[in-house]
Structure formats: C-alpha cells, structure tokens
Amino acid sequence: MDPRIDAPVARGRAVVAGASGFVGTALVRAFADDGYDVRTIGRSGADVTWVDGRGIRSLVDGAAIVVNLAGKSVNCRYTDANRDEILRSRVETTRLLRQAVTDAAAPPPLWLNASTATIYRYAMDRPQTEADGELGSGFSVDVARAWEEEFFSGDLPATRRVALRMAIVLGDGPATATLVRLARLGLGGPQYDGWWFTHRRYRGIGSHPTGNGRAPSHRSRGRQRFSWIHIDDVVGAVRFIRDDPGIAGPVNLAAPGASDNRSLMATLRRAVGAPIGLPAWRFMLEPAMWVLRTEPELVLKSRWAAPAVLTAAGYAFAFPELEGALREVVARARA
C-alpha cells in the first residue's frame, strides 16, 4: 500500500510556545496529526528558547498558526517569588511573540494565546459569558488582565487573535491530580470556605493591583461553582476555532455542564471508587494544601464560565457533562 494515501495533508508551520505542559503536549500531537510542521518555543528542550529573539522571529514569520501556552504553573504556593514569576512569565512571553508577529513579513493568520476563566468574579448567581461576564479582583484576576492586555495591545490587522479563557482542564494535569489525591486520601467530601488566619497571598499585583489585599472568604456551603473542560475538548475547540474565521477575541474554554463543589466531589468519589469522603473546612484545607504545595483557591473559588461563543458557533463538546469526563480521565490514568 502506498504510505502516502493515509498521510495528513501538509498545512504549514504550527508554532507552540510553552509546549512542555500536558495541554501543550496534547496540542503538539494534534497539530502533527493534522499535518503541520510543529515547532516549539520554550525554556529548554524546545526548537527555540525565549532568549533567542532572532529564532522566535524566524519561526513566527510565515507560520500558519501560533499558540502560546507559556507561563509558570499556578499549581504552587503563592509566595512573593512565585507570584512575580507567574505574572512575568505570561506577560513577557506574550510580549515577545507580539513583537515577532508585528515584525513578520508574513504574519501568522491566527494567534491563540492562553488565558484563564479565573478572570471572572466569584460567581454563584449566574454564569459568566464572554459578552456579559464581570471581571473579578485580586491576584489571579490581575494576572489574567495583564496577560490579555498585552496580548490584545497593538494593531495586527493580518492576524486573528483569540484569548483562550480556559477553565480547569481535566486530564493528566496538575489540577486533576490534586483533586484525585484529595478523594483518595478520604478528603473527597465537599469543601467549605470559612475563616482562616489573615494573609496577603491573593492580594492584587501588577501596575494596577485590584482588591483590598485580604484573602476572600465566602459562606458557599460547598455550593461554589466548578467550571471545567476535558483535555480532548481543549484540542477540539482549538481546531474548531482554527477553522472558523469568524471567531476572535476572548473565548471561554469551559464545558456547558458546569457543576458545583458538592457534585464534583461526589462524582470524583464514584470515579475513583472512594467509599467515603470527609468534608473539609478551610481550616483543614489550608494545612493540607500547604503540604501539597498548592493553593485552596483551586477548590474554594466559585468559577462559573459558560462557553457562549463556542456554543453559538456550533461546537459540539465531546464531554459536555462532568461524570463522563471524570470517568474517562480516571480510566485513562489506570490504563
């Protein structure tokens, strides 16, 4: 059989920045399957590093698509050093790419830049869409604001720009691992916000810090909303956006079947086969998350983002509901 029959059609160069994470790895694989010549930008092990300005410009010039996922993982404690690096790593890499796109003789027709659904306020009353969502305040929101401001600044008439406001991605990544670990440790009950010692880890950051500097506390009773998306739908949505020239601006990457914390943890217990799940109040979560070297914000903030742009454009989610998504992720991890 002629091996060229099943070979993907060549589609040009795809540049993926920050490709070493689990979302980046999935996109690199998908682009290669689609027939792109995939090149990467990163700190190490990539085709070009961030200190190589000439190399970045060479990759971007003439590329068919650029995707930027670069940024220090937020799965860490928000120490002063980590806070500064979380902001710097997102804004500066986006600035370098924007300069490369600006200078390109043949600018890429599409540039997708990661963002986060955490940009929206704490919401339990209604979902936040791209058109009517209200932005929040504090550290995570300020990072997202600065990230998108850098991305959308300047005039790039030949390049369509899309900010991917990603909800928590379910797959073999850090957020899923933390949730599964909590369930298997017997802490798979609902998580309750409440009193804790005053700290300033979530205070605003950047040139215009927002919020009052204090850590927020809400009496959510375990009903804080949980927006999520399966890794397969991240890949599917990127392909869908690529093929629909009418999509531009911020896009919520979140499944339509948003859950709440109680339902999330009950579903997670069923998926991992945990017979019990003790509820956890903030005074229990704070030391547990310190041991895990992450932040309680993962499970305590009420994130409720709705995929209005994708839904209106006709995207069909492979995993629209939480239980199916979690069971697939857990089964994949066991395989």
Side-chain angles (χ1 to χ4, degrees), residues 120-129 131-135 225 302-306:
Y120 298 115
R121 65 170 172 83
Y122 185 104
M124 293 180 64
D125 55 334
R126 65 175 180 84
Q128 307 293 295
T129 72
D132 64 6
E134 300 171 88
L135 304 191
R225 304 295 297 188
S302 188
R303 297 175 179 84
W304 195 357

Short mmCIF file of all heavy atoms in Angstrom, two decimals, residues 120-129 131-135 225 302-306:
data_model
loop_
_atom_site.label_atom_id
_atom_site.label_comp_id
_atom_site.label_asym_id
_atom_site.label_seq_id
_atom_site.Cartn_x
_atom_site.Cartn_y
_atom_site.Cartn_z
N TYR A 120 -12.88 35.96 35.69
CA TYR A 120 -14.21 36.40 36.10
C TYR A 120 -14.33 36.45 37.62
O TYR A 120 -13.57 35.81 38.35
CB TYR A 120 -15.27 35.47 35.53
CG TYR A 120 -15.31 35.43 34.02
CD1 TYR A 120 -15.00 34.27 33.32
CD2 TYR A 120 -15.65 36.57 33.29
CE1 TYR A 120 -15.03 34.24 31.94
CE2 TYR A 120 -15.68 36.54 31.90
CZ TYR A 120 -15.37 35.38 31.24
OH TYR A 120 -15.39 35.35 29.87
N ARG A 121 -15.31 37.18 38.09
CA ARG A 121 -15.55 37.31 39.53
C ARG A 121 -16.04 36.00 40.13
O ARG A 121 -16.45 35.08 39.41
CB ARG A 121 -16.59 38.41 39.78
CG ARG A 121 -17.99 38.08 39.23
CD ARG A 121 -19.01 39.10 39.72
NE ARG A 121 -20.31 38.96 39.10
CZ ARG A 121 -21.27 38.10 39.49
NH1 ARG A 121 -21.04 37.27 40.51
NH2 ARG A 121 -22.44 38.05 38.85
N TYR A 122 -15.98 35.93 41.43
CA TYR A 122 -16.59 34.83 42.19
C TYR A 122 -18.08 34.86 41.88
O TYR A 122 -18.77 35.84 42.18
CB TYR A 122 -16.33 35.05 43.67
CG TYR A 122 -16.77 33.93 44.59
CD1 TYR A 122 -15.83 33.06 45.13
CD2 TYR A 122 -18.10 33.77 44.94
CE1 TYR A 122 -16.22 32.05 46.00
CE2 TYR A 122 -18.50 32.77 45.80
CZ TYR A 122 -17.56 31.91 46.33
OH TYR A 122 -17.95 30.91 47.21
N ALA A 123 -18.61 33.80 41.27
CA ALA A 123 -20.00 33.84 40.79
C ALA A 123 -20.76 32.60 41.20
O ALA A 123 -20.36 31.48 40.88
CB ALA A 123 -20.03 33.98 39.27
N MET A 124 -21.85 32.80 41.91
CA MET A 124 -22.79 31.72 42.22
C MET A 124 -24.19 32.04 41.72
O MET A 124 -25.07 31.18 41.75
CB MET A 124 -22.82 31.45 43.72
CG MET A 124 -21.52 30.88 44.27
SD MET A 124 -21.56 30.56 46.05
CE MET A 124 -22.84 29.28 46.14
N ASP A 125 -24.38 33.27 41.23
CA ASP A 125 -25.71 33.71 40.84
C ASP A 125 -26.02 33.43 39.37
O ASP A 125 -27.15 33.12 39.01
CB ASP A 125 -25.88 35.20 41.12
CG ASP A 125 -24.78 36.04 40.47
OD1 ASP A 125 -23.67 35.51 40.24
OD2 ASP A 125 -25.03 37.24 40.20
N ARG A 126 -24.99 33.51 38.50
CA ARG A 126 -25.23 33.28 37.08
C ARG A 126 -23.90 32.98 36.40
O ARG A 126 -22.83 33.37 36.87
CB ARG A 126 -25.87 34.51 36.42
CG ARG A 126 -24.97 35.75 36.41
CD ARG A 126 -25.64 36.89 35.65
NE ARG A 126 -24.80 38.08 35.62
CZ ARG A 126 -23.81 38.29 34.73
NH1 ARG A 126 -23.55 37.38 33.80
NH2 ARG A 126 -23.10 39.40 34.77
N PRO A 127 -23.96 32.28 35.25
CA PRO A 127 -22.73 32.00 34.51
C PRO A 127 -22.17 33.27 33.88
O PRO A 127 -22.92 34.19 33.53
CB PRO A 127 -23.16 30.99 33.45
CG PRO A 127 -24.63 31.23 33.28
CD PRO A 127 -25.14 31.65 34.61
N GLN A 128 -20.85 33.28 33.71
CA GLN A 128 -20.16 34.42 33.10
C GLN A 128 -19.82 34.06 31.65
O GLN A 128 -19.11 33.09 31.39
CB GLN A 128 -18.88 34.73 33.88
CG GLN A 128 -19.08 34.91 35.37
CD GLN A 128 -19.88 36.16 35.69
OE1 GLN A 128 -19.43 37.28 35.43
NE2 GLN A 128 -21.08 35.98 36.23
N THR A 129 -20.34 34.84 30.73
CA THR A 129 -20.04 34.62 29.32
C THR A 129 -19.05 35.68 28.83
O THR A 129 -18.75 36.65 29.53
CB THR A 129 -21.31 34.69 28.45
OG1 THR A 129 -21.74 36.05 28.37
CG2 THR A 129 -22.41 33.81 29.02
N ALA A 131 -19.58 37.85 26.62
CA ALA A 131 -20.26 39.12 26.35
C ALA A 131 -20.64 39.86 27.63
O ALA A 131 -20.54 41.09 27.68
CB ALA A 131 -21.50 38.88 25.50
N ASP A 132 -21.08 39.12 28.66
CA ASP A 132 -21.59 39.81 29.85
C ASP A 132 -20.88 39.41 31.14
O ASP A 132 -21.33 39.76 32.23
CB ASP A 132 -23.09 39.59 30.00
CG ASP A 132 -23.45 38.12 30.25
OD1 ASP A 132 -22.52 37.29 30.42
OD2 ASP A 132 -24.65 37.79 30.28
N GLY A 133 -19.78 38.70 31.04
CA GLY A 133 -19.06 38.31 32.24
C GLY A 133 -18.44 39.51 32.93
O GLY A 133 -17.96 40.44 32.28
N GLU A 134 -18.45 39.48 34.25
CA GLU A 134 -17.87 40.56 35.05
C GLU A 134 -16.51 40.10 35.58
O GLU A 134 -16.40 39.02 36.16
CB GLU A 134 -18.79 40.91 36.20
CG GLU A 134 -20.17 41.38 35.76
CD GLU A 134 -21.12 41.52 36.93
OE1 GLU A 134 -21.15 42.60 37.52
OE2 GLU A 134 -21.81 40.53 37.25
N LEU A 135 -15.49 40.93 35.38
CA LEU A 135 -14.16 40.58 35.84
C LEU A 135 -14.06 40.76 37.35
O LEU A 135 -14.72 41.62 37.94
CB LEU A 135 -13.11 41.43 35.13
CG LEU A 135 -13.13 41.39 33.60
CD1 LEU A 135 -11.87 42.07 33.05
CD2 LEU A 135 -13.25 39.97 33.07
N ARG A 225 -19.35 27.11 42.44
CA ARG A 225 -19.43 26.52 41.12
C ARG A 225 -18.06 26.05 40.64
O ARG A 225 -17.02 26.58 41.03
CB ARG A 225 -20.02 27.52 40.12
CG ARG A 225 -21.37 28.07 40.51
CD ARG A 225 -22.45 27.02 40.53
NE ARG A 225 -22.68 26.43 39.22
CZ ARG A 225 -23.69 25.60 38.94
NH1 ARG A 225 -24.55 25.25 39.88
NH2 ARG A 225 -23.84 25.12 37.73
N SER A 302 -15.51 30.15 43.39
CA SER A 302 -16.68 29.79 42.59
C SER A 302 -16.46 30.29 41.17
O SER A 302 -16.65 31.47 40.86
CB SER A 302 -17.96 30.39 43.18
OG SER A 302 -19.09 29.89 42.51
N ARG A 303 -16.05 29.37 40.29
CA ARG A 303 -15.82 29.68 38.87
C ARG A 303 -17.03 29.19 38.08
O ARG A 303 -17.36 28.01 38.12
CB ARG A 303 -14.58 28.97 38.35
CG ARG A 303 -13.26 29.37 38.99
CD ARG A 303 -12.15 28.48 38.46
NE ARG A 303 -10.84 28.79 39.01
CZ ARG A 303 -10.39 28.34 40.16
NH1 ARG A 303 -11.15 27.55 40.90
NH2 ARG A 303 -9.18 28.66 40.58
N TRP A 304 -17.66 30.09 37.36
CA TRP A 304 -18.83 29.69 36.57
C TRP A 304 -18.75 30.40 35.21
O TRP A 304 -19.30 31.47 35.01
CB TRP A 304 -20.10 30.07 37.30
CG TRP A 304 -21.34 29.40 36.74
CD1 TRP A 304 -21.41 28.58 35.65
CD2 TRP A 304 -22.66 29.50 37.26
NE1 TRP A 304 -22.70 28.16 35.45
CE2 TRP A 304 -23.49 28.70 36.43
CE3 TRP A 304 -23.24 30.16 38.32
CZ2 TRP A 304 -24.86 28.58 36.64
CZ3 TRP A 304 -24.60 30.05 38.54
CH2 TRP A 304 -25.40 29.26 37.71
N ALA A 305 -18.02 29.79 34.30
CA ALA A 305 -17.86 30.33 32.95
C ALA A 305 -18.67 29.49 31.97
O ALA A 305 -18.64 28.26 32.02
CB ALA A 305 -16.39 30.32 32.55
N ALA A 306 -19.38 30.16 31.10
CA ALA A 306 -20.19 29.47 30.09
C ALA A 306 -19.59 29.66 28.71
O ALA A 306 -19.16 30.76 28.37
CB ALA A 306 -21.62 29.99 30.12
#
